[in-house]
């Protein structure tokens, strides 16, 4: 699970175990979740590795626990969502190749190439999901264009544009938004994206400031 965390990475790091996070309902049964330990993981921002605490919540009735990732973290990725998104946006829009984009963000070339490849593989699916979300949020339809990567970028932008009109989302920025609504699986190997299915959307709304 991903919560729409608006905190800068620094503030989240400094808070350590004391970080404040929401208590969402169980995604399976809508029952209450209780804090169930947590774990430490690394996150890299601007070339610097930091350690963050990820709380784990558990549902007593389902007997299942869920990690609660802040929106700047993508599942199984070291780099923050903003870095991953910036590289993908630059390359998929045709702005530049992978190597200069990776250099600019201080990430290894092969890592950046992996993100872009994965995004391209999932582009049509992501574009369709985000375009549907944009429409559901009241935005005009984004038509598929010849290039799937550009379509996905346009759809993500349109969905964020619509969500930004709702309380709390604007401050998160487009890539934390995209991470939140995809449950952290924006470029995950798992190709199911239930969070983007219209009518079954259940991502957590941010708390308005
Ligand atoms: Zn449950």
């Amino acid at each position: 699970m991903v919560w729409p965390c608006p905190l800068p990475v620094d503030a989240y790091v400094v808070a350590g175990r004391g970080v404040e996070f929401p208590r969402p309902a169980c995604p399976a049964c809508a029952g209450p979740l209780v804090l169930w330990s947590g774990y430490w993981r690394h996150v890299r921002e601007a070339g610097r590795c930091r350690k963050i605490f990820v709380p784990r919540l558990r549902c007593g009735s389902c007997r299942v626990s869920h990690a609660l990732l802040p929106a700047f973290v993508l599942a199984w990725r070291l780099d923050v969502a903003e870095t991953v998104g910036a590289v993908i946006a630059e390359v998929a829009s045709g702005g530049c190749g992978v190597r200069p984009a990776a250099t600019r963000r201080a990430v290894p070339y092969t890592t950046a190439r992996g993100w872009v490849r994965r995004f391209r593989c999932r582009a049509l699916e992501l574009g369709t999901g985000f375009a549907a979300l944009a429409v559901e949020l009241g935005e005009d339809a984004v038509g598929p264009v010849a290039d799937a990567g550009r379509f996905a970028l346009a759809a993500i932008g349109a969905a964020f544009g619509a969500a930004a009109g709702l309380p709390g989302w604007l401050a998160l920025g487009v890539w934390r938004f995209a991470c939140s609504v995809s449950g952290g699986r924006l470029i995950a190997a798992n190709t199911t994206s239930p969070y983007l299915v219209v009518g079954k959307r259940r991502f957590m709304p941010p708390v308005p400031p």
Side-chain angles (χ1 to χ4, degrees):
M1 302 172 83
V2 175
W3 69 280
C5 171
L7 294 173
V9 175
D10 280 345
Y12 191 101
V13 168
V14 168
R17 279 180 178 274
V19 70
E20 297 208 20
F21 53 88
R23 302 296 173 96
C26 171
C29 74
L33 295 176
V34 296
L35 182 60
W36 189 260
S37 73
Y39 61 92
W40 293 87
R41 61 158 280 175
H42 285 96
V43 64
R44 183 166 57 194
E45 188 196 34
R48 187 172 167 214
C49 263
R50 321 287 297 273
K51 244 181 161 179
I52 60 163
F53 181 71
V54 177
R56 194 170 265 287
L57 305 175
R58 184 172 184 271
C59 174
S61 355
C62 298
R63 295 165 182 272
V64 172
S65 71
H66 305 270
L68 189 62
L69 294 170
F72 58 81
V73 170
L74 289 163
W76 310 295
R77 303 284 172 175
L78 176 62
D79 294 279
V80 292
E82 285 91 343
T83 301
V84 176
V87 168
I88 286 174
E90 273 186 327
V91 179
S93 67
C96 69
V98 174
R99 202 174 287 279
T103 305
R104 242 193 309 280
R105 305 285 166 174
V107 294
Y109 166 68
T110 49
T111 304
R113 188 182 57 189
W115 301 337
V116 172
R117 279 184 181 162
R118 178 77 70 196
F119 182 78
R120 289 222 161 103
C121 287
R122 298 200 60 192
L124 192 57
E125 180 200 358
L126 288 170
T128 307
F130 277 97
L133 178 59
V135 169
E136 199 189 355
L137 294 173
E139 194 75 9
D140 289 338
V142 182
V145 291
D147 182 89
R150 287 178 196 232
F151 167 52
L153 288 178
I156 290 169
F160 177 63
L166 304 171
W169 283 109
L170 183 61
L172 260 71
V174 63
W175 293 107
R176 288 193 189 200
F177 161 78
C179 178
S180 295
V181 302
S182 65
R185 291 161 175 263
L186 194 66
I187 51 167
N190 184 337
T191 54
T192 58
S193 43
Y195 293 83
L196 296 177
V197 175
V198 174
K200 290 185 187 169
R201 202 175 83 242
R202 55 180 190 202
F203 60 88
M204 269 172 259
V207 180

